[in-house]
Amino acid sequence: METQETPVKQLAFLGNGSKLFSIYIVNLLLTAVTLGFYYPWAKASVLKYLYQETELEGSRFMFHGTGKEMFKGFIKAVAVFGVLYGILVAAQLSGDSSLILAGALVYLAGLLILIPLAVHGSMKYRMSRTSWRGIHFGYRGKLSDLMMLFIKGFVFTIFTFGIYGPWFTVSLRKYLIGNTRFGNVEFEYTGEGSDLLVLYISGYFLTIITLGIYSFWFAKDLINYFIDNIQLKQNGREIRLQSYLTGGTYFRLAIVNMFIIIFSLGLAAPWATVRAMRILLSNVFIEGELDLNDLEQTERPYTDATGEDVADMLDIGIM
Amino acid sequence: MDRFNVLYFDGQTSLPKEAVVSLELRHLTIVYLQDDEEKRVVWELDQIQPIEISGNLHILRYGDFPLQQIDCKDHHFYKALADRYPGAAFLKISFADRVKGWNVVAITLGFIAIMASVYFLVLPPVAELLAGQIPQTMEVQLGNSLYEGFVSEYEKNEKLTKLTNSFSREIDFNTSYPIDVTVVKSPQVNAFALPGGKVVIYDGLLKKMRSAEELAALLSHEVGHIEHRHSLKSISRSLSGYIFVSLILNDINGLSAVLVDNANTLNNLSYSRSLEADADARAVETLDRNNLDQKGLVGLFEILNKEAGEDTDYLKFLSTHPLTKERMQKAREAAAKQGPFKKNPRMEELFREISENGKAK
């Protein structure tokens, strides 16, 4: 039997801090001057830059979302949150304790429904606006499925005092990643709740024992666990992602970035972002027979950016 | 005619095709070989998406979904396009992409200047204006709840509280607030006012008082704070400053928000000096209206000054009642200019009782 080397491919981040800074400062200025309404355009310009500077086999990724598309979503998101906060505040001001409780419950229930709605909308929009060599990504999950998964997971997590948490996380990843397409390449998440639970518990105790120092290694483990369990499938061939990020590397990344940000009062954040992108991506390897010349367009056009903005307001980072 | 080597993607597969693009008069023509056969694609100018540029790399996309794409790595490409198709929509570069070099520095400085002027010039008066809009009943309510929280940590001196309240009723403060004094047991030499009319005096300060006018000066000073809504304004200012700082910086990160918040506190400290001056001015007015000797305020400052010399807690003290030479100077000047004044026999009697009661402890 002949031994065959597994072919390996890599993502590279080519961006630089000063270019990102010029984007960022214009964004800050225009967002301030427009009292926040520029936000969707600001976000689009940053995403565009970060995608465009990410290279795979000599070709760049592209983000095609526009401020205009996201602005519509932004307005809807502002309206939805306005109503929810309004209910909460009105109930609080009424002074009636049963009304306060009812208001809080409505608010919580609203959030519980909004989170999966936001994740779904955001995944669909973000994936549809991402392409490489003209081939678009796509998300084919169903909102009703995700909603059920989310509510069930949330309730289970509450009733098991958090123990179900890792299974909840993994089930969401399985659903979201499993429904993602890159042309005719399919994705799958192969992690297990029990593995993640072990990771959480050992990470938690080691962090306490080492007075926090282990937290960097813990974070590294979580990143690697996320990436290593992503699997690609192309025409029946299995391709794995592997992250070789080490605790030492992550430690240096986090500490230096922290200093960059604190001592510049945040103004140098773009340089920190660029460092993080470069270091994290340089440690990810695509291992397997991925034929990047043989991707086929499979997605349909899609337009709706509401989820993207709701997700932002809830501070949910997606991918 | 201009020709450039490009990679062409047809929108159906990811297979890159080496192609040559020619800049024709009204369209682009892309020519490539497929299975030894020459293929030719025409792009109409008005259906080309806005150009994307990263370093030497130029990316153009065309048509409806799925879009075709060409990547060109020739750094003359943009200039050739601009020369050939002046004013074409797809060649427009957004404002943000045009910002380079010194413009970035200028915008950064501009941004910092705008934020600083909002923070230092616009925010404080707006915050004070808002504090001024709060109805008095709400202010009294707020003051009462702050008072409950404070007093529960101290022991109230009932007798002195009663006497000092009788004393304060002798003074015409010219205020619509219900003034209510509480004396608490504590060796600290301090006093303060809460929004809505509550005044708290530590009996440590009361024991040091040498004349009725000094006590009258102290009460008038604290009522000055109440009448000017100083604590509400301070709260409103520091809260708005905090919210502003976190709005801008939270997006970036929490830690630097904390750093700037400390600077915010320092900024408020200098503000509190100007509040003291306002309250002093009002105390002078009140003493004048009641025909009381304004040297009472000078005497009060002497007590505080002496205390500041001995007190190791001076820093803490400084933060609530910054005592400066200017305050003392102003009080002296005011007293020197004062017309005739007289002793109020009822106040003298009450003050004697207060003094005796204080010493008995």
Side-chain angles (χ1 to χ4, degrees):
Chain A
M1 205 177 117
E2 59 175 9
T3 48
Q4 226 180 344
E5 287 252 323
T6 317
V8 170
K9 292 184 176 64
Q10 258 208 292
L11 294 162
F13 185 72
L14 309 169
N16 68 69
S18 43
K19 177 65 194 155
L20 185 58
F21 178 77
S22 68
I23 293 171
Y24 172 85
I25 196 72
V26 170
N27 284 345
L28 271 181
L29 184 75
L30 292 180
T31 306
V33 169
T34 59
L35 302 175
F37 281 102
Y38 187 74
Y39 179 77
W41 282 269
K43 188 179 165 189
S45 64
V46 169
L47 283 176
K48 197 167 242 178
Y49 181 74
L50 294 181
Y51 277 55
Q52 192 178 288
E53 297 299 324
T54 305
E55 194 183 75
L56 174 64
E57 290 245 295
S59 296
R60 307 297 183 88
F61 282 85
M62 293 183 83
F63 178 70
H64 311 294
T66 62
K68 206 166 144 190
E69 286 172 346
M70 288 196 269
F71 182 69
K72 290 178 198 151
F74 178 68
I75 293 297
K76 285 187 216 163
V78 168
V80 168
F81 273 89
V83 169
L84 266 188
Y85 276 123
I87 292 172
L88 186 69
V89 171
Q92 290 284 343
L93 289 181
S94 72
D96 182 341
S97 60
S98 58
L99 264 182
I100 291 175
L101 185 68
L105 283 178
V106 169
Y107 180 74
L108 263 182
L111 281 190
L112 210 55
I113 293 170
L114 272 185
I115 292 172
L117 202 77
V119 171
H120 175 83
S122 183
M123 279 296 283
K124 247 185 131 56
Y125 180 73
R126 185 74 72 85
M127 289 300 122
S128 76
R129 291 295 177 273
T130 304
S131 79
W132 181 84
R133 291 188 178 175
I135 305 298
H136 281 248
F137 281 73
Y139 173 71
R140 302 193 177 175
K142 282 207 187 74
L143 178 58
S144 53
D145 292 352
L146 187 67
M147 195 80 84
M148 286 308 295
L149 201 63
F150 187 82
I151 292 173
K152 191 190 95 188
F154 182 83
V155 171
F156 273 32
T157 305
I158 297 275
F159 281 107
T160 58
F161 304 105
I163 296 170
Y164 185 73
W167 278 270
F168 183 23
T169 306
V170 165
S171 74
L172 286 179
R173 287 178 184 175
K174 276 187 192 294
Y175 190 78
L176 295 175
I177 294 172
N179 281 294
T180 300
R181 300 282 181 280
F182 176 24
N184 59 341
V185 171
E186 294 176 16
F187 290 79
E188 199 184 332
Y189 189 72
T190 58
E192 294 297 337
S194 50
D195 294 344
L196 192 58
L197 180 68
V198 170
L199 213 57
Y200 277 147
I201 292 174
S202 61
Y204 179 75
F205 283 108
L206 283 170
T207 299
I208 290 176
I209 291 167
T210 59
L211 303 175
I213 295 170
Y214 188 77
S215 62
F216 299 98
W217 277 258
F218 182 24
K220 175 268 295 182
D221 283 344
L222 291 180
I223 293 171
N224 287 352
Y225 189 77
F226 175 65
I227 292 174
D228 293 352
N229 282 299
I230 298 177
Q231 190 174 301
L232 283 63
K233 261 197 197 137
Q234 183 183 34
N235 301 329
R237 296 189 305 274
E238 285 180 0
I239 299 115
R240 294 211 77 91
L241 292 190
Q242 283 292 324
S243 172
Y244 293 97
L245 184 66
T246 63
T249 306
Y250 187 77
F251 177 75
R252 275 193 301 279
L253 170 67
I255 293 289
V256 174
N257 272 4
M258 197 176 82
F259 279 107
I260 289 176
I261 292 175
I262 292 176
F263 287 109
S264 68
L265 293 180
L267 276 179
W271 280 272
T273 305
V274 165
R275 284 189 76 238
M277 288 287 288
R278 187 171 288 155
I279 290 170
L280 293 177
L281 283 185
S282 71
N283 281 292
V284 176
F285 292 80
I286 305 166
E287 302 181 350
E289 310 232 0
L290 179 63
D291 187 349
L292 288 168
N293 290 340
D294 191 28
L295 301 175
E296 285 160 30
Q297 192 79 274
T298 55
E299 299 307 309
R300 329 232 99 249
Y302 176 77
T303 53
D304 185 5
T306 307
E308 187 76 17
D309 292 280
V310 178
D312 268 6
M313 300 214 163
L314 293 167
D315 220 354
I316 308 172
I318 290 169
M319 308 289 223
Chain B
M1 192 171 54
D2 295 321
R3 289 163 185 276
F4 291 91
N5 291 321
V6 297
L7 283 181
Y8 170 71
F9 303 99
D10 62 10
Q12 302 299 329
T13 81
S14 62
L15 184 70
K17 301 173 177 74
E18 288 182 11
V20 173
V21 60
S22 325
L23 313 190
E24 316 268 1
L25 201 54
R26 282 189 188 79
H27 56 261
L28 299 180
T29 306
I30 298 155
V31 179
Y32 63 95
L33 283 177
Q34 189 170 25
D35 307 326
D36 289 331
E37 199 182 317
E38 195 180 87
K39 300 268 185 178
R40 176 178 290 266
V41 182
V42 172
W43 282 14
E44 300 296 339
L45 297 183
D46 59 354
Q47 289 194 59
I48 303 177
Q49 301 284 316
I51 192 164
E52 313 244 2
I53 301 172
S54 162
N56 276 343
L57 177 64
H58 304 74
I59 299 173
L60 286 177
R61 304 192 331 132
Y62 179 79
D64 292 325
F65 192 90
L67 282 76
Q68 305 163 48
Q69 177 177 331
I70 54 175
D71 290 7
C72 179
K73 286 188 172 161
D74 191 317
H75 62 276
H76 298 300
F77 191 51
Y78 183 80
K79 185 158 188 324
L81 285 170
D83 289 346
R84 187 81 175 152
Y85 311 116
F90 74 96
L91 292 174
K92 240 190 222 149
I93 294 175
S94 72
F95 169 66
D97 283 333
R98 267 179 290 155
V99 174
K100 280 188 186 116
W102 285 106
N103 286 340
V104 176
V105 178
I107 290 181
T108 308
L109 294 177
F111 176 72
I112 293 172
I114 290 178
M115 289 303 116
S117 53
V118 168
Y119 179 71
F120 287 109
L121 302 177
V122 179
L123 218 48
V126 170
E128 285 189 22
L129 196 74
L130 287 178
Q133 301 304 309
I134 295 172
Q136 193 170 328
T137 51
M138 203 187 252
E139 203 189 344
V140 172
Q141 231 171 29
L142 176 71
N144 286 348
S145 62
L146 286 173
Y147 173 81
E148 297 301 332
F150 173 81
V151 153
S152 65
E153 289 178 25
Y154 283 87
E155 200 187 330
K156 196 169 158 187
N157 188 329
E158 299 287 352
K159 182 85 183 149
L160 281 180
T161 297
K162 212 170 150 238
L163 285 170
T164 313
N165 270 311
S166 304
F167 183 92
S168 101
R169 274 192 291 276
E170 291 299 314
I171 307 171
D172 170 19
F173 291 113
N174 187 28
T175 177
S176 56
Y177 288 94
I179 304 301
D180 178 36
V181 185
T182 303
V183 180
V184 296
K185 291 181 182 169
S186 165
Q188 279 191 61
V189 178
N190 205 354
F192 61 88
L194 289 166
K198 296 264 185 212
V199 175
V200 176
I201 304 176
Y202 293 73
D203 61 3
L205 175 57
L206 215 47
K207 282 175 202 164
K208 305 246 178 216
M209 295 271 167
R210 294 160 303 186
S211 72
E213 285 79 9
E214 283 173 6
L215 180 55
L218 174 71
L219 288 169
S220 307
H221 173 90
E222 296 305 337
V223 172
H225 281 313
I226 291 167
E227 184 64 26
H228 285 305
R229 296 190 158 196
H230 281 163
S231 25
L232 261 193
K233 284 178 187 168
S234 298
I235 293 171
S236 174
R237 274 174 70 118
S238 58
L239 197 65
S240 66
Y242 178 78
I243 291 173
F244 180 73
V245 164
S246 16
L247 268 184
I248 298 187
L249 293 186
N250 247 8
D251 209 32
I252 304 164
N253 92 335
L255 265 171
S256 35
V258 172
L259 275 185
V260 177
D261 184 45
N262 281 324
N264 194 18
T265 312
L266 278 176
N267 184 27
N268 287 330
L269 197 63
S270 73
Y271 175 59
S272 80
R273 293 218 174 83
S274 85
L275 297 189
E276 290 310 318
D278 288 351
D280 289 349
R282 203 168 147 100
V284 168
E285 262 174 51
T286 305
L287 291 174
D288 200 32
R289 189 176 324 105
N290 289 276
N291 294 322
L292 290 167
D293 185 358
Q294 290 179 17
K295 283 202 270 308
L297 190 61
V298 179
L300 174 68
F301 288 161
E302 277 165 10
I303 295 172
L304 296 179
N305 232 347
K306 190 162 156 255
E307 207 49 42
E310 296 166 2
D311 202 341
T312 46
D313 272 348
Y314 184 53
L315 260 181
K316 189 175 155 199
F317 180 73
L318 173 91
S319 66
T320 53
H321 280 81
L323 195 61
T324 60
K325 279 192 182 126
E326 289 103 279
R327 287 181 69 191
M328 176 78 91
Q329 188 59 34
K330 271 205 176 135
R332 284 212 175 100
E333 280 167 16
K337 273 186 257 166
Q338 195 183 15
F341 53 82
K342 53 179 187 256
K343 295 264 176 197
N344 176 327
R346 175 88 183 116
M347 278 169 74
E348 293 298 320
E349 194 193 315
L350 280 166
F351 183 73
R352 225 175 358 259
E353 268 189 72
I354 289 171
S355 291
E356 278 160 18
N357 237 288
K359 285 190 186 96
K361 288 282 143 70

